């Protein structure tokens, strides 16, 4: 598998992976900060803005990947996962429902897996790709 930084799936997998690391690191960073500085556990605004930067990058990566993919399942899966991730992040900011972070982690991991699968198996231009006739 040749990974080129020019491929939208590479960008999408990278953005989703960094989003996952960002989400996993947040509780640890701010727990450590709260321990060091008493009574101040709010995250800086720029830290929450990173979520939306990842969403924007992944939107364009998914747009391009869905255009180039030969699998209808992968196309739909990418958009469903991105939509779910978007709703989860907006929900987290606006606090509509209290949901486990596991949903966020699972969705980000799903995006990484779908992008990597699409990168490896769904980019051919001849005949059969992803077990689906073109």
């Amino acid at each position: 598998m040749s990974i080129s930084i020019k491929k939208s799936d590479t960008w999408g997998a990278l953005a989703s992976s960094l989003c996952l690391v960002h989400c996993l690191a947040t509780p640890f960073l701010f727990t450590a900060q709260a321990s060091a500085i008493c009574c101040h556990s709010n995250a800086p605004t720029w830290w929450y803005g990173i979520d939306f930067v990842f969403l924007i990058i992944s939107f364009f990566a998914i747009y391009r990947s869905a255009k180039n993919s030969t699998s209808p399942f992968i196309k739909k899966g990418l958009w469903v996962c991105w939509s779910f991730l978007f709703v989860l992040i907006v929900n987290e900011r606006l606090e509509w429902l209290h949901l486990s972070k596991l949903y966020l982690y699972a969705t980000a991991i799903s995006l990484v897996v779908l992008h990597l699968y699409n990168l490896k198996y769904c980019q051919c231009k001849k005949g059969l790709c992803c077990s689906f006739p073109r």
Side-chain angles (χ1 to χ4, degrees):
M1 171 173 68
S2 171
I3 295 183
S4 168
I5 206 68
K6 295 178 183 175
K7 294 198 176 263
S8 58
D9 286 310
T10 304
W11 280 104
L14 181 63
S16 299
S17 298
L18 290 174
C19 178
L20 180 63
V21 169
H22 168 72
C23 292
L24 287 169
T26 299
F28 296 112
L29 291 172
F30 293 109
T31 300
Q33 178 189 17
S35 298
I37 304 169
C38 180
C39 305
H40 188 277
S41 61
N42 292 337
T45 305
W46 64 267
W47 184 259
Y48 289 126
I50 292 173
D51 292 340
F52 294 101
V53 170
F54 289 134
L55 276 175
I56 291 167
I57 292 170
S58 64
F59 174 84
F60 289 110
I62 289 170
Y63 176 76
R64 293 269 309 167
S65 294
K67 272 177 77 172
N68 297 328
S69 181
T70 58
S71 169
F73 171 76
I74 295 295
K75 290 177 185 184
K76 289 176 188 166
L78 286 168
W79 283 116
V80 166
C81 285
W82 185 87
S83 299
F84 196 54
L85 187 65
F86 177 80
V87 169
L88 288 170
I89 289 174
V90 170
N91 176 60
E92 189 174 308
R93 296 298 162 254
L94 300 177
E95 298 175 355
W96 291 327
L97 297 170
H98 179 69
L99 299 173
S100 172
K101 290 270 191 188
L102 292 177
Y103 293 114
L104 199 66
Y105 304 151
T107 306
I109 290 169
S110 297
L111 274 174
V112 171
V113 169
L114 285 170
H115 274 297
L116 292 177
Y117 185 84
N118 192 48
L119 181 66
K120 184 166 175 100
Y121 297 110
C122 301
Q123 298 295 314
C124 70
K125 302 293 181 203
K126 315 172 194 166
L128 300 175
C129 300
C130 293
S131 302
F132 296 106
R134 192 157 196 220

